[in-house]
Amino acid sequence: DADVTQTPRNRITKTGKRIMLECSQTKGHDRMYWYRQDPGLGLRLIYYSFDVKDINKGEISDGYSVSRQAQAKFSLSLESAIPNQTALYFCATSTGNTGELFFGEGSRLTVL
Amino acid sequence: DAKTTQPPSMDCAEGRAANLPCNHSTISGNEYVYWYRQIHSQGPQYIIHGLKNNETNEMASLIITEDRKSSTLILPHATLRDTAVYYCIVRRNYGQNFVFGPGTRLSVLP
């Protein structure tokens, strides 16, 4: 089983719908992140959390919200999806030591 | 955050060494150089990181210049499975976030 699991892996939805992407990890890491990747581009940080009571905005947080329900779970929500949120979304975890990131397999979201 | 500059693409023959350059001329003394790679649309994978000394692990070697303004990731014997986008990132440890640029698309050719 993957250490960082994202669900769903693929989702097609319509403009205006609410979408939640979920991430769970079994690595015991305290830090969790959500990134977005558009075709041909690098990853951009949406939100990150250093522990259960900590939520921080990344460089592109507008239109997104997150919830850190437990140390192992970090969810990303799109309250009202729009087509330019069509992208590949990655969850990642890290410890506070080396800080090496461990990524999930990605969630491909298409907003029509 | 220090910025990095990488060539957008490179080719390498299978079995030969792949040398991927990265410029980070504004790096601070307490910032590390990290390398990740992303195969197709999978999640990026950590390769190696270093501060000022050269580093080697089972995947690659990292050569950092003495002035730390540039570095080279070396894959000693590239295989077709090394075809990926390679990201060079500089960051402090303990709390600074990773910033992923567009990276270098390495194509290993048979």
Side-chain angles (χ1 to χ4, degrees), chain A residues 31 33 35 37 40-43 45 48 50 59 88 90 96-101 103-106 108, chain B residues 34 36 38 40-46 49 87 91 93-103 105:
Chain A
R31 302 180 180 198
Y33 308 79
Y35 283 89
Q37 186 172 35
L41 301 179
L43 282 72
L45 183 62
Y48 61 101
F50 284 177
E59 61 179 306
L88 185 56
F90 288 102
N97 297 326
T98 66
E100 176 188 342
L101 289 172
F103 283 86
E105 296 174 322
R108 187 172 297 280
Chain B
Y34 283 77
Y36 280 76
Q38 185 176 24
H40 194 47
S41 295
Q42 299 175 19
Q45 174 191 25
Y46 166 83
H49 76 283
Y87 300 100
R91 78 185 276 273
N93 262 342
Y94 309 119
Q96 189 179 56
N97 289 318
F98 287 90
V99 177
F100 288 81
R105 181 172 298 276

Side-chain angles (χ1 to χ4, degrees), chain A residues 3 13 17 24 26 36-37 59 63 68 84 90 103:
Chain A
D3 294 322
T13 191
K17 294 292 188 181
S24 63
T26 58
R36 165 181 173 156
Q37 186 172 35
E59 61 179 306
R68 185 80 184 267
N84 76 0
F90 288 102
F103 283 86

Side-chain angles (χ1 to χ4, degrees), chain B residues 63-90:
Chain B
I63 308 298
I64 303 174
T65 58
E66 192 169 342
D67 64 7
R68 302 209 326 121
K69 293 183 184 298
S70 66
S71 60
T72 301
L73 179 74
I74 301 172
L75 308 179
H77 305 286
T79 71
L80 299 179
R81 287 173 294 182
D82 292 321
T83 292
V85 177
Y86 287 77
Y87 300 100
C88 170
I89 302 163
V90 295

Side-chain angles (χ1 to χ4, degrees), chain A residues 6-101:
Chain A
Q6 293 183 229
T7 56
R9 295 291 312 282
N10 287 285
R11 184 72 178 267
I12 300 173
T13 191
K14 295 183 179 180
T15 298
K17 294 292 188 181
R18 183 178 188 271
I19 293 296
M20 179 180 286
L21 306 180
E22 299 187 344
C23 178
S24 63
Q25 53 120 344
T26 58
K27 299 189 75 67
H29 290 167
D30 49 359
R31 302 180 180 198
M32 298 187 74
Y33 308 79
W34 276 104
Y35 283 89
R36 165 181 173 156
Q37 186 172 35
D38 295 283
L41 301 179
L43 282 72
R44 292 184 290 169
L45 183 62
I46 306 173
Y47 271 97
Y48 61 101
S49 168
F50 284 177
D51 67 39
V52 174
K53 297 180 181 179
D54 178 73
I55 299 291
N56 303 282
K57 293 183 177 181
E59 61 179 306
I60 55 162
S61 59
D62 287 349
Y64 301 94
S65 62
V66 290
S67 173
R68 185 80 184 267
Q69 302 96 318
Q71 187 200 34
K73 295 185 183 297
F74 192 37
S75 300
L76 176 71
S77 293
L78 289 68
E79 295 300 326
S80 180
I82 56 176
N84 76 0
Q85 291 177 313
T86 293
L88 185 56
Y89 291 85
F90 288 102
C91 175
T93 73
S94 73
T95 69
N97 297 326
T98 66
E100 176 188 342
L101 289 172

